[in-house]
Amino acid sequence: IPQQNTQSIPLSEACEKFIATHRSGWKATGGMEQSYRTTMFPFLIDIVSDIPTCDLKKIHITDLVEILHVYPANKNKKFEYQYLSAKDFINIDTPDEDRMSPITKKKYLTQIGSFLRWLKSSDFTSIDLDAPLKIRIQTARPVDQRSAFSNDELRKIFNSKEYLQGRHSTASRFWVPLIGIFTGARLNEICQLSVNDIQEEPTTKRWVFSFNQDTTDNPKKSIKRTHHARLVPVHKNLIELGFIDYVKATKKKHKRLFPELPYVNDANKYGDRLQRWFNRTYLKSKKHCGITREGTSFHSLRHTVMSHLATDHKVTGNQVASGMGHATKGNEFDIRYAKTGDYNAYAKYFDLINFKDAFDLKLIKPWKFHVFARIAK
């Protein structure tokens, strides 16, 4: 019997109506529709089946939450899980190391919760179906989630056989980690750079990275916050490795600095392919770096730079906030001080970045002798 004053339709039909209703409010490049179509709705329907919306009960959503707690990350890529349905996990206790991260679980709760609330507001149910989703997912602070690399780990990354023997197959695999460790920039900020974003700063005539959302050369370029736009010096070690020569050579044929990186409609955008390679293959595989310590990822390079400046050079967060694309924090004096710190004030702190005790720059094979450069000839 349909719930009073409601219209019951198949759950799959409700999913389509939800997307049609919300599509105009989603960013075209945000990946929300793809997320719902390929992940959230299949997960929900797999658990509760394609039942009429008025047959949905809170017990269905309670089961969904229990499954979510044990659901494996990258399920379809793991042999022991790929042939199981989502509903099967109601009776499976997966190892902690196989489960989705707290941040991913929270994403599921948020997006599915939005859909369930819409069902009620649109009179496809009269029940507060999202009530079981209102649980607290314990997430670690960003500083705990992503650990800084140790000197030994940095040596494994930058004095690996890939760097020493010229084995990098793409320019991005060679340059992006190096740019990360000498600027502390975010992955997508680096991966979406245009060749014109490598500029000479007008007053000092020094080469800088311009992290911006200027879409002149690339209409899909974006930054999340206005204060993320900034100039960062091109470190002398990058110049010694031939970075400016690489920029000039690339500029002859391409507008983007790393044209081999495709745009992907999700949070990683241009950084998606590079992040997958770095985190899953290069970093963790015993054939490469063999770094499996929990909390390490590409973002650890950013955390390593900030920790290095704070610990080894006593540089405060506000002194480099603008250069790192951070909002300033602290009392009124601290914030006012930081706002006066334009490029010319914070650039000097980036010159302090020095990891010579971790890896030997001179051992790295010049980029022109790597696989990607030889192929391009």
Side-chain angles (χ1 to χ4, degrees):
I1 301 174
Q3 299 159 21
Q4 189 174 7
N5 298 322
T6 61
Q7 176 190 2
S8 190
I9 62 174
L11 187 57
S12 59
E13 183 180 340
C15 293
E16 289 298 323
K17 287 182 178 293
F18 175 84
I19 290 175
T21 301
H22 290 76
R23 184 183 287 123
S24 62
W26 290 333
K27 290 183 178 180
T29 58
M32 284 297 290
E33 180 171 347
Q34 181 183 17
S35 178
Y36 273 109
R37 285 193 182 280
T38 63
T39 304
M40 301 305 164
F41 288 151
F43 178 74
L44 174 63
I45 294 175
D46 199 6
I47 294 172
V48 306
S49 301
D50 191 12
I51 60 177
T53 54
C54 282
D55 288 349
L56 265 177
K57 307 298 181 188
K58 289 183 182 179
I59 187 62
H60 291 123
I61 310 306
T62 299
D63 287 347
L64 182 148
V65 172
E66 291 184 14
I67 290 170
L68 190 62
H69 281 307
V70 299
Y71 203 66
N74 303 310
K75 169 187 170 295
N76 294 330
K77 295 184 179 181
K78 296 179 179 178
F79 179 77
E80 63 268 42
Y81 301 129
Q82 61 185 192
Y83 298 108
L84 298 174
S85 70
K87 193 172 184 177
D88 290 332
F89 288 90
I90 194 70
N91 298 311
I92 298 175
D93 186 19
T94 57
D96 289 345
E97 60 269 21
D98 287 354
R99 298 177 182 180
M100 293 191 299
S101 70
I103 290 177
T104 302
K105 292 177 185 177
K106 191 172 183 179
K107 179 180 178 180
Y108 273 67
L109 293 176
T110 299
Q111 293 191 15
I112 293 175
S114 294
F115 171 67
L116 296 178
R117 288 189 295 275
W118 174 84
L119 284 180
K120 185 180 180 184
S121 67
S122 301
D123 290 333
F124 292 121
T125 181
S126 62
I127 302 173
D128 289 322
L129 291 168
D130 68 315
L133 301 180
K134 296 175 182 177
I135 60 174
R136 182 175 180 83
I137 295 289
Q138 185 62 43
T139 56
R141 295 175 302 143
V143 67
D144 297 323
Q145 291 173 4
R146 304 176 178 108
S147 302
F149 288 119
S150 66
N151 279 355
D152 181 60
E153 289 169 337
L154 288 176
R155 179 187 59 77
K156 291 179 180 178
I157 293 171
F158 295 107
N159 280 165
S160 67
K161 60 186 178 183
E162 282 74 20
Y163 276 104
L164 271 55
Q165 297 176 18
R167 296 189 181 186
H168 281 302
S169 59
T170 66
S172 53
R173 292 183 179 184
F174 177 85
W175 285 117
V176 174
L178 284 166
I179 295 171
I181 198 60
F182 287 114
T183 65
R186 301 174 181 88
L187 176 66
N188 193 60
E189 292 176 335
I190 301 172
C191 293
Q192 72 175 3
L193 284 167
S194 299
V195 289
N196 288 332
D197 291 330
I198 316 305
Q199 310 166 354
E200 282 189 299
E201 199 276 327
T203 58
T204 63
K205 302 301 180 182
R206 181 176 177 178
W207 289 104
V208 296
F209 294 96
S210 175
F211 297 111
N212 59 69
Q213 58 183 352
D214 182 0
T215 57
T216 303
D217 295 322
N218 181 3
K220 293 184 178 179
K221 186 190 291 185
S222 65
I223 57 176
K224 289 186 177 181
R225 303 286 185 272
T226 55
H227 59 263
H228 290 179
R230 64 200 187 280
L231 300 180
V232 177
V234 176
H235 197 280
K236 63 179 181 180
N237 286 350
L238 291 175
I239 295 177
E240 290 172 6
L241 288 169
F243 179 65
I244 301 303
D245 290 337
Y246 167 75
V247 174
K248 292 178 179 179
T250 304
K251 195 171 186 177
K252 294 177 181 178
K253 298 181 179 180
H254 304 283
K255 290 184 177 181
R256 288 183 51 224
L257 191 60
F258 304 113
E260 72 274 14
L261 295 177
Y263 184 89
V264 178
N265 284 328
D266 65 10
N268 298 325
K269 299 181 180 178
Y270 284 109
D272 185 81
R273 179 177 290 182
L274 197 285
Q275 176 175 270
R276 290 172 185 270
W277 167 79
F278 186 90
N279 291 351
R280 300 178 185 179
T281 303
Y282 185 63
L283 197 65
K284 299 185 183 301
S285 173
K286 291 182 180 179
K287 294 182 180 180
H288 303 284
C289 302
I291 299 173
T292 58
R293 184 166 59 87
E294 186 176 358
T296 53
S297 66
F298 186 92
H299 198 82
S300 297
L301 294 172
R302 179 172 170 84
H303 190 53
T304 301
V305 172
M306 292 188 286
S307 297
H308 167 63
L309 290 174
T311 303
D312 298 335
H313 300 291
K314 311 305 177 186
V315 178
T316 68
N318 271 350
Q319 285 175 315
V320 291
S322 297
M324 297 298 295
H326 277 165
T328 53
K329 298 180 180 179
N331 57 40
E332 184 179 353
F333 173 79
D334 291 333
I335 293 175
R336 187 167 61 249
Y337 170 81
K339 284 183 178 179
T340 64
D342 60 4
Y343 168 79
N344 291 322
Y346 66 71
K348 59 186 178 183
Y349 298 114
F350 284 84
D351 290 337
L352 298 176
I353 297 173
N354 187 335
F355 292 104
K356 64 180 182 181
D357 293 335
F359 60 92
D360 191 341
L361 206 71
K362 294 180 180 179
L363 294 179
I364 295 177
K365 203 171 190 68
W367 69 270
K368 291 183 179 180
F369 297 97
H370 276 254
V371 172
F372 69 86
R374 296 201 300 271
I375 292 175
K377 290 181 180 179

